[in-house]
Amino acid sequence: MNHPVSESTRRHMTVDQYLAFEQHSPARHEYLAGEVFAMTGASAQHVAIATRLFGATVAHLRGTPWQAFMSDVKVRVRTNMRDYFYYPDMLVISDGDRRADGGERMPFVRSARLIAEVISPSTENIDRREKAMMYRELTSLEEYVLVAQEECEVTIFRRRQNWHPVVCNLLEDVAEFRSIGLSLPLMHIYREPPEAVTRVAEPE
């Protein structure tokens, strides 16, 4: 889960140093053009939403040449001769692209088809701006999904639609993850939403 950290948690490393360090570190870190940032823990609500999303995706992909990973696989983005490594809350990659990226022996992927982040007030700016721009540098990426933690809202950005947002914000809505052929009702993500999350359609 991706959360901002204090200045004291920053380190400066090369990519090789970072990968070697991360392999043996008990905590996870993200790498932003030479700077390494420790990651903090996530709230119970964040974990619950991410777990439901991941579970539905895994069930849908069973028996297909696609794999879903939940916040334990790094994605590498290279842009303007600089490297960035992030831990998305969920990503989907094909078996073929995973092998092309180096298979299980590689500690990161570069060819995600779909990336999803669960956003909270403290991470929203990063997820909507920095990561949105960075992930689009992945030529394989077809959809970027933002799932709100504090309210019932799923926003989908699609490459084929020039990254224009498609917003679903009712429990009765269905989020269409077209890159993997999954239609997911929001009620399956917000199964036990707090009172602030529960919404009903306005009368016509």
Side-chain angles (χ1 to χ4, degrees), residues 128-174:
R128 288 191 181 276
R129 297 177 183 178
E130 174 191 322
K131 291 186 178 181
M133 291 188 296
M134 287 298 175
Y135 290 153
R136 291 173 193 177
E137 295 293 324
L138 299 171
T139 57
S140 61
L141 189 71
E142 294 189 10
E143 287 180 304
Y144 178 46
V145 179
L146 296 177
V147 183
Q149 172 183 315
E150 301 296 329
E151 60 182 341
C152 178
E153 183 176 282
V154 174
T155 307
I156 304 170
F157 303 86
R158 300 188 178 99
R159 184 179 296 276
R160 292 186 179 181
Q161 297 177 334
N162 295 316
W163 304 112
H164 292 307
V166 176
V167 180
C168 305
N169 55 17
L170 298 173
L171 287 176
E172 296 80 8
D173 287 346
V174 176

Side-chain angles (χ1 to χ4, degrees), residues 11-200:
R11 298 168 182 257
H12 294 268
M13 298 182 186
T14 66
V15 168
D16 289 341
Q17 289 172 334
Y18 163 71
L19 292 174
F21 168 76
E22 192 72 352
Q23 183 177 4
H24 301 288
S25 173
R28 292 175 302 163
H29 303 76
E30 293 185 331
Y31 182 93
L32 310 181
E35 288 189 290
V36 178
F37 297 83
M39 298 172 64
T40 61
S43 69
Q45 177 75 351
H46 185 122
V47 173
I49 290 172
T51 299
R52 292 175 192 136
L53 175 63
F54 177 71
T57 303
V58 168
H60 172 73
L61 296 177
R62 190 169 293 120
T64 74
W66 297 91
Q67 296 182 67
F69 296 92
M70 182 180 173
S71 69
D72 56 354
V73 173
K74 297 183 291 296
V75 61
R76 181 178 187 171
V77 180
R78 184 166 177 79
T79 181
N80 297 324
M81 302 298 291
R82 295 183 175 184
D83 290 286
Y84 300 80
F85 291 83
Y86 297 101
Y87 283 92
D89 285 311
M90 188 185 77
L91 64 83
V92 175
I93 185 171
S94 72
D95 291 343
D97 285 340
R98 180 69 163 143
R99 287 192 296 269
D101 282 352
E104 298 299 327
R105 66 182 178 82
M106 292 298 291
F108 57 83
V109 301
R110 291 173 290 196
S111 305
R113 174 68 63 90
L114 178 149
I115 290 178
E117 296 281 10
V118 177
I119 60 175
S120 64
S122 63
T123 66
E124 184 169 5
N125 285 339
I126 293 174
D127 291 331
R128 288 191 181 276
R129 297 177 183 178
E130 174 191 322
K131 291 186 178 181
M133 291 188 296
M134 287 298 175
Y135 290 153
R136 291 173 193 177
E137 295 293 324
L138 299 171
T139 57
S140 61
L141 189 71
E142 294 189 10
E143 287 180 304
Y144 178 46
V145 179
L146 296 177
V147 183
Q149 172 183 315
E150 301 296 329
E151 60 182 341
C152 178
E153 183 176 282
V154 174
T155 307
I156 304 170
F157 303 86
R158 300 188 178 99
R159 184 179 296 276
R160 292 186 179 181
Q161 297 177 334
N162 295 316
W163 304 112
H164 292 307
V166 176
V167 180
C168 305
N169 55 17
L170 298 173
L171 287 176
E172 296 80 8
D173 287 346
V174 176
E176 300 284 348
F177 303 145
R178 296 177 183 174
S179 61
I180 58 173
L182 172 60
S183 298
L184 184 62
L186 265 62
M187 66 181 65
H188 290 182
I189 301 173
Y190 300 100
R191 188 171 301 154
E192 297 174 353
E195 291 183 3
V197 170
T198 305
R199 297 183 181 180
V200 296

